[in-house]
Amino acid sequence: MRKMKYWMIAVVMMASVSSFAQDSTYLSNEYAKAMAVYSQAQLYNDIEVQKAALYDMLVLDPGDSSVMRTLSEYYYNNRRFTSSALVAMDILKKYPGNMVATEIAALSYEQLRIYDKAIEYYQEMWLALDDNNILYQVAYLQYSTKRYEEANTNLEILETKLTDENMITLTRQDGTNQEVKFKAALKNLSGLILLDQGNKEEAKVRFNEALALSPDFEAAKMGLEEANK
């Protein structure tokens, strides 16, 4: 009787293994089908079908970081910033320190004007990458949230890391890009902080220093005009 019992257990286990193998084959086939649909939708530029295919792949393999990353980028590029932030956060739960997800989280929260969260993720990026552009963005957002002391500290750090030849690309009022001397951008941001604090005379000095380095710097011209009112 005991042998029969063990034999029945073995039969059940064999059936489970067989079922698992079938399920694995089914999941593999369905995943391949979803990938094929995604690729075809890319050819036809059908973004809604692409999104549906990404969800199919994600359901079939919830830990697929490449699919999650593509989905977060899809949402961000289509200005669905809440969704891109949520997907990025999910990636970071599964894969802490993932730089692509960290960047998407930072960008998404910035677009949502949740600046404290954006600063948090930009700071993580800077600590990992030591990129001057990222630290400047941190300082700018700190200025935007009136965290002036922190912003000035980061400007001082940047001042020690830059040469006179370093450039940065900033956005003009009309949305186009403008390349200026990085040190001019630091002077301008320092001027904005001083202007916010009511120190117009010192702000003028900073704006003029910025314009001495980059005479066509639109933001510095606007800052100086505001300080002269």
Side-chain angles (χ1 to χ4, degrees), residues 195-207:
L195 191 59
D196 246 22
Q197 294 175 319
N199 193 339
K200 287 190 174 184
E201 293 307 313
E202 282 297 317
K204 288 179 191 178
V205 172
R206 296 293 187 278
F207 293 134

Side-chain angles (χ1 to χ4, degrees), residues 109-161:
Y109 282 121
E110 183 180 357
Q111 291 294 330
L112 291 167
R113 298 182 182 275
I114 306 175
Y115 293 140
D116 285 339
K117 292 292 289 183
I119 289 169
E120 177 185 333
Y121 289 104
Y122 276 124
Q123 284 177 324
E124 287 187 23
M125 289 173 62
W126 181 70
L127 289 172
L129 304 174
D130 192 22
D131 186 307
N132 292 334
N133 290 277
I134 295 171
L135 188 57
Y136 176 83
Q137 190 63 18
V138 170
Y140 187 85
L141 291 177
Q142 287 168 334
Y143 147 71
S144 299
T145 52
K146 302 187 184 301
R147 292 160 59 175
Y148 302 128
E149 187 175 346
E150 294 171 78
N152 281 324
T153 296
N154 284 323
L155 291 178
E156 289 170 7
I157 292 170
L158 281 167
E159 187 70 39
T160 66
K161 294 165 66 67

Side-chain angles (χ1 to χ4, degrees), residues 163-180:
T163 67
D164 292 339
E165 287 71 38
N166 289 135
M167 306 293 287
I168 187 172
T169 301
L170 302 175
T171 305
R172 293 188 182 94
Q173 282 288 99
D174 63 3
T176 59
N177 291 331
Q178 180 180 31
E179 191 175 49
V180 300

